[in-house]
Amino acid sequence: MHLQDLVAIDVHTHAEVSAKGHSSLDDDLHDASSAYFKVEGDRKPTLEETAAYYRERRMAAVIFTVDAESATGTQPVPNEEVAEAAAANADFLIPFASIDPFRGKAGVRRARRLVEEYGVKGFKFHPSVQGFFPNDRSVAYGLYEVIEETGTIALFHTGQTGIGAGVPGGGGIRLKYSNPLHVDDVAADFPQLKIILAHPSFPWQDEALAVATHKPGVHIDLSGWSPKYFPPQLVQYANTLLQDKVLFGSDFPVLTPDRWLADFERLAIKDAVKPKILKENAARLLGLTQP
């Protein structure tokens, strides 16, 4: 990966379909989230199509599946498949993985193997879809130990989710799990753990800003929302106290980087801060540059 040639690093993209055409969401949740995000056209690009998409734009992309099989009964896109696709397209794809936290010790062993044998750089957690509190010591703490030890990254969905939106009962998905204050406990218990709070954390934006300013290892990605809808306090902190800890993320394929970047250009972000958000902060966090 030639960092100097990249326009940006998108730290939040999804692998939504396997090589066999298998989706990690059932049809009801998939269709509801497409309606929520007003997705037009193909929602299920293959891994190779995603690599081509980002190569054409000269952007790098962190890509992952979401393993929530215990809660949803649906198998995820295989982590190994994501990692192998990233290895074959290492100029533009950066592999993260996802382990259902209810897999217990088997999940912990698998996480270590994914780092050591497949070069995975981080792990995605979606507390609302996976159905767990991030600070529940009996569930995911073994995974955090491996992530901290290996120097990889823990990326947590925070705030409301489009998954289940509009489905009766929200498809059984509970928003309470994704309050970023639960991740504050994780950051305190694992002080060397590198953490990303994904998305503007509605309705807990101030909580997310508080955690990120208080805990050195905590960052915020701006995915899942068009920048024109960002809360003013998020823009203020991105311009000032958190200018070195805020990251560009789109949420591809439900929100494209093209749309995100077009709206970002109209956001009141300082010229000196824009390159930090678009590339420099992520490059440092991912270890693509010297500290």
Side-chain angles (χ1 to χ4, degrees), residues 51-175:
Y53 180 95
Y54 278 89
R55 183 176 290 110
E56 181 181 354
R57 288 157 177 78
R58 295 199 291 113
M59 297 179 196
V62 170
I63 188 163
F64 45 75
T65 184
V66 175
D67 180 2
E69 188 173 1
S70 295
T72 66
T74 304
Q75 292 182 346
V77 176
N79 288 306
E80 294 81 1
E81 189 175 312
V82 175
E84 288 168 354
N89 297 277
D91 47 347
F92 290 99
L93 294 187
I94 300 166
F96 274 31
S98 181
I99 302 288
D100 186 330
F102 292 101
R103 294 191 186 279
K105 292 182 179 179
V108 172
R109 290 193 296 269
R110 189 177 181 196
R112 186 178 298 279
R113 184 171 66 86
L114 285 165
V115 174
E116 295 176 350
E117 298 181 18
Y118 287 87
V120 163
K121 303 300 183 184
F123 291 83
K124 165 65 183 284
F125 296 93
H126 198 310
S128 290
V129 174
Q130 292 171 322
F132 80 109
F133 286 109
N135 57 354
D136 185 338
R137 292 173 175 268
S138 68
V139 179
Y141 268 49
L143 288 172
Y144 304 153
E145 289 174 2
V146 171
I147 297 169
E148 183 180 51
E149 178 188 335
T150 56
T152 49
I153 298 168
L155 188 155
F156 292 89
H157 171 95
T158 63
Q160 187 175 343
T161 178
I163 308 301
V167 177
I173 293 168
R174 301 174 192 274
L175 303 180

Side-chain angles (χ1 to χ4, degrees), residues 7-289:
V7 172
I9 300 174
D10 186 340
V11 302
H12 199 114
T13 76
H14 290 267
E16 295 206 332
V17 62
S18 72
K20 297 179 179 179
H22 167 73
S23 175
S24 56
L25 287 176
D26 67 34
D27 290 343
D28 287 343
L29 293 179
H30 177 275
D31 293 346
S33 62
S34 291
Y36 177 86
F37 284 103
K38 298 179 173 62
V39 177
E40 298 179 359
D42 182 21
R43 162 74 185 274
K44 294 184 178 181
T46 66
L47 288 161
E48 287 299 325
E49 287 169 342
T50 297
Y53 180 95
Y54 278 89
R55 183 176 290 110
E56 181 181 354
R57 288 157 177 78
R58 295 199 291 113
M59 297 179 196
V62 170
I63 188 163
F64 45 75
T65 184
V66 175
D67 180 2
E69 188 173 1
S70 295
T72 66
T74 304
Q75 292 182 346
V77 176
N79 288 306
E80 294 81 1
E81 189 175 312
V82 175
E84 288 168 354
N89 297 277
D91 47 347
F92 290 99
L93 294 187
I94 300 166
F96 274 31
S98 181
I99 302 288
D100 186 330
F102 292 101
R103 294 191 186 279
K105 292 182 179 179
V108 172
R109 290 193 296 269
R110 189 177 181 196
R112 186 178 298 279
R113 184 171 66 86
L114 285 165
V115 174
E116 295 176 350
E117 298 181 18
Y118 287 87
V120 163
K121 303 300 183 184
F123 291 83
K124 165 65 183 284
F125 296 93
H126 198 310
S128 290
V129 174
Q130 292 171 322
F132 80 109
F133 286 109
N135 57 354
D136 185 338
R137 292 173 175 268
S138 68
V139 179
Y141 268 49
L143 288 172
Y144 304 153
E145 289 174 2
V146 171
I147 297 169
E148 183 180 51
E149 178 188 335
T150 56
T152 49
I153 298 168
L155 188 155
F156 292 89
H157 171 95
T158 63
Q160 187 175 343
T161 178
I163 308 301
V167 177
I173 293 168
R174 301 174 192 274
L175 303 180
K176 65 180 180 180
Y177 294 121
S178 291
N179 185 329
L181 275 182
H182 303 315
V183 183
D184 182 64
D185 286 337
V186 178
D189 291 336
F190 296 90
Q192 303 306 315
L193 182 62
K194 295 183 286 187
I195 294 172
I196 300 173
L197 303 176
H199 317 309
S201 304
F202 173 80
W204 302 292
Q205 181 64 84
D206 290 345
E207 285 87 337
L209 295 172
V211 174
T213 53
H214 190 259
K215 299 298 189 295
V218 177
H219 301 69
I220 293 175
D221 87 34
L222 301 174
S223 65
W225 289 46
S226 164
K228 66 183 178 181
Y229 299 121
F230 287 170
Q233 67 269 39
L234 176 59
V235 178
Q236 177 187 350
Y237 274 73
N239 262 327
T240 54
L241 293 177
L242 294 179
Q243 63 179 276
D244 296 319
K245 300 178 76 178
V246 172
L247 315 166
F248 160 50
S250 65
D251 219 0
F252 179 85
V254 296
L255 182 64
T256 67
D258 294 349
R259 177 187 171 190
W260 194 100
L261 289 169
D263 289 344
F264 183 71
E265 280 301 310
R266 294 187 281 272
L267 199 64
I269 296 292
K270 298 173 184 177
D271 289 342
V273 174
K274 285 183 178 179
K276 293 183 177 184
I277 293 174
L278 293 178
K279 184 170 73 170
E280 294 170 10
N281 293 343
R284 184 177 61 255
L285 182 62
L286 289 161
L288 303 179
T289 61

